[in-house]
Amino acid sequence: MGVIDKVAPARTGRSKAAAGDVRAELPLDQIVMGDCIAAMKALPAKSVDMIFADPPYNLQLGGELFRPDGSHVDAVTDDWDKFDSLKHYDAFTRAWLAEAHRILKDDGTIWVIGSYHNIFRVGVAVQDLGYWILNDIVWRKANPMPNFRGTRFTNAHETLIWASKGEKAKYTFNYRSMKTLNDEIQMRSDWEFPICGGQERLKKGGHKVHPTQKPEALLYRVLLACTKPGDVVLDPFFGTGTTGAVAKRLGRHWIGIEREPGYCAAAIERIEAALPLDESALATMQSPRSQPKVAFGVLVENMYLVPGAVLTDAKRRWTATVRADGSLSSPCGASGSIHKLGATLQGAPACNGWSFWHYEAEGALKPIDALRQTYLLATQP
Amino acid sequence: MGVIDKVAPARTGRSKAAAGDVRAELPLDQIVMGDCIAAMKALPAKSVDMIFADPPYNLQLGGELFRPDGSHVDAVTDDWDKFDSLKHYDAFTRAWLAEAHRILKDDGTIWVIGSYHNIFRVGVAVQDLGYWILNDIVWRKANPMPNFRGTRFTNAHETLIWASKGEKAKYTFNYRSMKTLNDEIQMRSDWEFPICGGQERLKKGGHKVHPTQKPEALLYRVLLACTKPGDVVLDPFFGTGTTGAVAKRLGRHWIGIEREPGYCAAAIERIEAALPLDESALATMQSPRSQPKVAFGVLVENMYLVPGAVLTDAKRRWTATVRADGSLSSPCGASGSIHKLGATLQGAPACNGWSFWHYEAEGALKPIDALRQTYLLATQP
DNA sequence: GCCGCTGATGAATCTAACA
DNA sequence: CTGTTAGATTCATCAGCGG
């Protein structure tokens, strides 16, 4: 881990790099010190699994302006008006978002956080560049700064945009982990966290090191939701390295880009002190989608259910008989797979046979999915 | 009150209309039936105090969607929500927002509601047209529709933009009213309301009249915050007249623009039936501060418990290890949420994990509920 | 009348693997 | 490329009904 000035330029002459090759070119677990867009240009295409970005949005607040390359503009001498500054902020936003699109793997996703000052411009750029928005997420601040002058509503939230590379693109979403994290209820699009303070807030000489340090809890949820252990996360506006610290804790690789040497130094010190969780703690609830599939017929072959056994739905409205090949037949003459027959009998477009069909055990009805779980426990190492 | 087809064209030849003159040209407490932009063009400049707009969201839905129980989701498939492209949507948005800017008094404000499908495009148009954003407001839905396929976060909120006519423009904000409405705490930028249902939801022949009817409580807060009695509120996408009904109850004048005759008829009937709120009804609209819920995962995210920590029941019969997503894993191989694993290990149908699981502190066992209480004390005002 | 159970429903960009 | 099949997936609220 460390700070580097420049990424080794990508070798040329390759018709198509293998995935391993691309990864070898990445400055894993390092900070690239320098201009955000220039540093991004040096990274290989389709190489990172997620990008988390907390771009500057102090434009118009302190009268600060940025050129498309992110460099600072002296507003007094340049005499720009508000519309010039919006235009240039848009150009800057599109430039780094376009590089991000190139660097992302096809099944990667991007997260961008902002406030009403900039998030609308970011959102339009995201859509115009072909990304496909999956959710907008609201970070509700448990303890926001009040509006001291009583002129507006307390500005008590920030907005995050989560997007895939395109409408049809695949992406990682650890649905079960999110549901578990939220006491077995689907995770919603509004998240409550305290603002970053206390021990977590980096300070030097009694002053905060970075004006907009994000809470680690926020990054924890983002990374847990949309990456897998070992994935690579890029943060092009690294600041004091919240993304890196959480990534290290969660067993993910990180790459930071940051212009200010002072922030880089604080980030390095902080990430070195972060302790990775051990492997058993990193295990998370798996979606049935990622578990090995068990065909219903396998349960019949292994005598978990005998051909001729009678199944019923939970309310005993229908019955069906198990046949030797793992299909079901109904007294009405219909037959098919557990899913198809369930759908046919209900007149529904689809049906999950595993939860629809039940068998009788000890006087109670149990879904046949319980048999599948028993089978999995008995056969999986 | 009634429906009219056309606004009388504004008289010309006046160098400058007095405020009273302009108001005389307004179709107060009436619905203008027709195209939104054409109808707006017929309204005089600088004549209304507030505009509330609920434009089409341009949802771009794919195929049919079914719930896990097989029932069909009645989605928004109306023609009025379909646009050829984002470019067309942007042109439409800029056209009506530009007219709105002309119609607004210099000290008036505009509110626009949307979702992530359209709100970023609306926000950019608002900024580009010279409006000055004062807040973005999040409507947190108490009872949103779940994500039935488990592919994203539950889309549980919508966003409103509140803007004045320009950076230096004056505007009305009833700070005291908002603070009173919120138990003497500054009103925040995130508001919780249930979606519109029950008796309030307009129905005809058992079916909803409008697919996206907004809750009156939402409009109530908007109008109470930013208008004074007697002010004029324009709603260019009137639908079934929620804005009109609430304006009438609060003693504000309203103007609606709506293209569909069916919606106009329903709105007229509804607004005629609207009565000023009595005190008890008012009380129900002031949402009491709800008891905050804390998920176990939140304690993990915020490091009240570290992944890898070992929990036990009060009699130390079972142990479990905390994992990164807030699930627990038992040495026997079972895993799940704090509630589920507690139930599994005891062979019970259910279990309150908060009182069942304990952690060791200062040599004694304490229920993890103690950590939850600590967290609540630290984060609640 | 109250309690509990059942069914319906809401602005939704809602699958993945294989033949 | 298309078509088919397996199989994964829901929370809060309200109306209606029966005990």
Side-chain angles (χ1 to χ4, degrees), chain B residues 122-319:
Chain B
V122 168
V124 165
V126 162
Q127 290 179 311
D128 286 352
L129 287 167
Y131 291 100
W132 191 251
I133 297 181
L134 299 166
N135 276 115
D136 61 333
I137 298 289
V138 172
W139 167 28
R140 298 201 301 129
K141 301 182 183 183
N143 48 349
M145 185 163 30
N147 182 289
F148 296 117
R149 305 303 294 266
T151 54
R152 304 181 180 189
F153 299 96
T154 306
N155 195 0
H157 73 276
E158 294 189 20
T159 303
L160 299 100
I161 294 173
W162 176 43
S164 66
K165 275 191 81 169
E167 181 174 358
K168 306 293 183 191
K170 295 187 181 181
Y171 58 92
T172 296
F173 178 58
N174 301 316
Y175 177 76
R176 280 302 323 168
S177 296
M178 287 298 101
K179 193 164 175 180
T180 304
L181 195 63
N182 196 38
D183 284 355
E184 289 305 317
I185 293 173
Q186 274 193 355
M187 187 69 81
R188 298 168 42 112
S189 56
D190 53 321
W191 305 351
E192 177 170 331
F193 298 109
I195 58 178
C196 183
Q199 295 300 314
E200 188 185 326
R201 187 86 194 207
L202 297 184
K203 285 178 186 169
K204 195 170 181 181
H207 293 88
K208 55 189 177 190
V209 176
H210 195 286
T212 70
Q213 186 182 338
K214 296 293 177 288
E216 295 198 359
L218 179 70
L219 271 292
Y220 184 94
R221 187 173 296 181
V222 167
L223 294 189
L224 198 63
C226 307
T227 63
K228 302 183 195 308
D231 275 1
V232 179
V233 180
L234 167 68
D235 185 335
F237 305 95
F238 203 55
T240 48
T242 305
T243 302
V246 176
K248 181 179 175 188
R249 293 163 97 175
L250 285 172
R252 274 72 168 167
H253 291 289
W254 55 272
I255 302 169
I257 301 175
E258 175 54 48
R259 196 170 47 182
E260 305 287 333
Y263 295 161
C264 291
I268 287 294
E269 187 181 349
R270 170 189 191 181
I271 297 169
E272 271 172 356
L275 297 172
L277 288 172
D278 63 38
E279 209 148 332
S280 65
L282 237 166
T284 65
M285 312 202 65
Q286 301 178 12
S287 59
R289 292 166 63 202
S290 51
Q291 178 65 24
K293 283 184 199 167
V294 179
F296 179 67
V298 168
L299 300 186
V300 179
E301 285 176 333
N302 288 280
M303 307 291 277
Y304 282 70
L305 276 173
V306 189
V310 175
L311 303 181
T312 171
D313 66 297
K315 296 184 184 168
R316 300 182 191 270
R317 283 174 295 194
W318 297 283
T319 64

Side-chain angles (χ1 to χ4, degrees), chain B residues 88-101:
Chain B
H88 285 86
Y89 186 80
D90 288 342
F92 166 74
T93 300
R94 277 159 203 270
W96 74 258
L97 277 172
E99 282 306 312
H101 200 271

Side-chain angles (χ1 to χ4, degrees), chain A residues 35 37 56 65-73 92 259:
Chain A
D35 173 70
I37 293 169
L65 300 173
F66 290 93
R67 294 196 180 84
D69 65 0
S71 63
H72 193 254
V73 168
F92 166 66
R259 195 170 46 186

Side-chain angles (χ1 to χ4, degrees), chain A residues 50-116:
Chain A
M50 171 190 280
I51 296 178
F52 182 91
D54 182 9
Y57 45 100
N58 48 352
L59 174 92
Q60 294 187 67
L61 285 184
E64 293 189 65
L65 300 173
F66 290 93
R67 294 196 180 84
D69 65 0
S71 63
H72 193 254
V73 168
D74 184 345
V76 178
T77 54
D78 287 21
D79 194 29
W80 286 357
D81 65 16
K82 185 174 71 202
F83 298 100
D84 281 327
S85 80
L86 285 176
K87 211 165 78 184
H88 285 77
Y89 187 81
D90 288 344
F92 166 66
T93 301
R94 276 158 206 267
W96 74 259
L97 277 173
E99 282 305 312
H101 199 271
R102 183 185 63 79
I103 295 168
L104 261 189
K105 289 185 188 172
D106 283 341
D107 59 354
T109 59
I110 188 168
W111 285 79
V112 191
I113 183 169
S115 69
Y116 68 83

